[in-house]
Amino acid sequence: MGTLLEIDGLTKYFRHPWTFRRFCALDRLSLAVREGEIFGLIGHNGAGKTTTFKLLLGFLRPSAGQSSFMGRPSTGVWARTRIGFLPEQPYFYDYLTVRETLVFYARLSGLRASDAVARTRELARQLRVEAKLEAPIRTLSKGMLQRLGVAQAIIHRPKLVILDEPMSGLDPIGRKEMRALIQSLKSSGTTVFFSSHILPDAEALCDRVGILAEGRLREIVDLAGNDGGAEYALTVRGVPPGSLPELAALTVPAATPAASVWTVRVAGRERVREYIDRVHAAGGFVESLVPTLPSLEERFLHHAQQVHVSD
C-alpha cells in the first residue's frame, strides 16, 4: 500500500485566552496514512486530535510543518475535493429533511443535480436511513445524525475520509453500527483516518493507531498483525527431559524445565514457529498458544502516565 496522506513536523501554537501565553497544542507531528487502511488517532481530551484534523484541512494555519495528500498540499482545493470530513459536532440546518440535506451537500461537492439525487438514494440504502429521508433534521436521534454526518462526508466518493470522534455520544448499539459502517468504508476502498478516546473501538477497527499525549505522537501501534517482538505464552507437554535444555534457550527469559507440563514465553513469530517445530521433533506437543501483546489501553496508559509524572 502506498502513502496517501503524509504529515511532516506539523506544529501548532496557541495563546491562552486569559494569560496570552503561548502553548503548544501539537508538537512536530509526523506520520503517514497508507492507502486502504483504517488509521486511528487516540488520546485524552486536549491531546491535539481535533487540532491535527483542522490543520490537515486548512481550517487552521500551522506554526510549522506541512501535510500532503497524494503528493499535493492537503489544504488545497484539489485535495479537498478528494477528502471527506465529519467534525466532532456536525451542524446541519434543522429545518431541512434528510433528503434535502444530502442533496445539498452533494451539490456543494460538485455533483450534478441528477447525480446528487441518485447518490442520495444510494447512500440512504447503504446507511439504512431510507425511512428517515423525509424527516426533518431536528427529529433525528444522535445515532442517526452521526450516520447523516458520515453520509455527507462520503457523498462525493472521497479517497480519504476523516472522522473526528465518530463514536462520541453514541449508545452501545449506535457504536456497533458506527463500527460496521467504518469497516464498510474500508471494504469499499475508502481510506479512513479517525480519532477517538474510546480505546476498545479503536482496537477493534484499526490497522494502525497513533497515540497522542500532550500534543506529541508517543507511539504508532500496528494492530494488523505485524507483531515484531511480541511475546507468546506456550504450554508444552510430553517433551523428553533430554530435549528440554535445548528448548529452554529459545524462551524469554531462558526457562529452567521443572515438570512434564511446561509453560514458557517465546518472543516473535519466527521463534514461535521454530519452537513448535522442535517440540514436535522431540515427540512432545503444544497444548496452548496465547499471544501476550499488551492491550492498546495498557500502551496508552503507559504514555499518559509518563506525561503526568513529567508534569
Side-chain angles (χ1 to χ4, degrees), residues 170-190:
L170 297 181
D171 60 21
I173 294 176
R175 283 172 53 196
K176 180 181 178 181
E177 290 178 344
M178 184 58 67
R179 287 197 300 267
L181 177 55
I182 292 174
Q183 286 283 16
S184 72
L185 291 176
K186 178 184 177 180
S187 300
S188 66
T190 301

Side-chain angles (χ1 to χ4, degrees), residues 21-56:
R21 290 181 178 176
R22 289 212 323 164
F23 67 94
C24 187
L26 195 66
D27 186 10
R28 294 166 293 174
L29 175 65
S30 295
L31 60 86
V33 178
R34 302 166 186 159
E35 187 171 0
E37 75 172 339
I38 300 177
F39 191 103
L41 199 60
I42 65 173
H44 55 81
N45 292 331
K49 304 185 297 295
T50 298
T51 298
T52 298
F53 292 158
K54 288 182 177 180
L55 290 168
L56 293 177

Side-chain angles (χ1 to χ4, degrees), residues 42 199-200 202-203 209 211 221 223 294-301:
I42 65 173
L199 303 186
E203 195 162 26
V209 168
I211 299 176
V221 184
L223 299 173
S295 68
L296 189 58
E297 181 178 13
E298 290 170 333
R299 290 175 182 261
F300 171 73
L301 290 176

Side-chain angles (χ1 to χ4, degrees), residues 105-294:
Y105 279 105
R107 296 289 284 149
L108 280 180
S109 299
L111 275 67
R112 294 180 301 180
S114 58
D115 294 335
V117 171
R119 181 63 172 156
T120 294
R121 287 197 298 265
E122 179 185 348
L123 281 179
R125 288 193 301 270
Q126 179 183 343
L127 304 182
R128 293 186 291 141
V129 297
E130 285 179 293
K132 295 289 186 178
L133 275 175
E134 306 308 328
I137 298 297
R138 61 179 175 271
T139 66
L140 299 184
S141 66
K142 174 66 174 178
M144 195 62 70
L145 282 172
Q146 288 293 83
R147 285 180 171 274
L148 181 61
V150 174
Q152 66 79 26
I154 64 173
I155 200 159
H156 55 304
R157 295 184 176 88
K159 291 279 292 182
L160 169 70
V161 62
I162 296 175
L163 309 175
D164 192 1
E165 298 282 1
M167 315 292 183
S168 177
L170 297 181
D171 60 21
I173 294 176
R175 283 172 53 196
K176 180 181 178 181
E177 290 178 344
M178 184 58 67
R179 287 197 300 267
L181 177 55
I182 292 174
Q183 286 283 16
S184 72
L185 291 176
K186 178 184 177 180
S187 300
S188 66
T190 301
T191 303
V192 181
F193 188 16
F194 81 95
S195 68
S196 182
H197 59 267
I198 304 175
L199 303 186
D201 290 332
E203 195 162 26
L205 281 170
C206 295
D207 299 297
R208 293 187 300 146
V209 168
I211 299 176
L212 270 183
E214 296 295 318
R216 295 185 63 189
L217 183 66
R218 306 292 171 164
E219 183 182 4
I220 294 180
V221 184
D222 191 339
L223 299 173
N226 182 13
D227 66 341
E231 294 183 1
Y232 294 79
L234 293 91
T235 302
V236 180
R237 183 189 292 271
V239 176
S243 300
L244 289 175
E246 178 187 356
L247 292 172
L250 298 175
T251 62
V252 287
T256 301
S260 59
V261 179
W262 192 29
T263 300
V264 299
R265 288 162 53 207
V266 179
R269 289 183 175 180
E270 293 304 318
R271 185 61 64 90
V272 167
R273 292 190 183 100
E274 181 182 357
Y275 190 89
I276 292 174
D277 290 341
R278 292 195 184 189
V279 168
H280 290 164
F285 63 96
V286 177
E287 284 193 337
S288 66
L289 171 63
V290 181
T292 58
L293 286 165

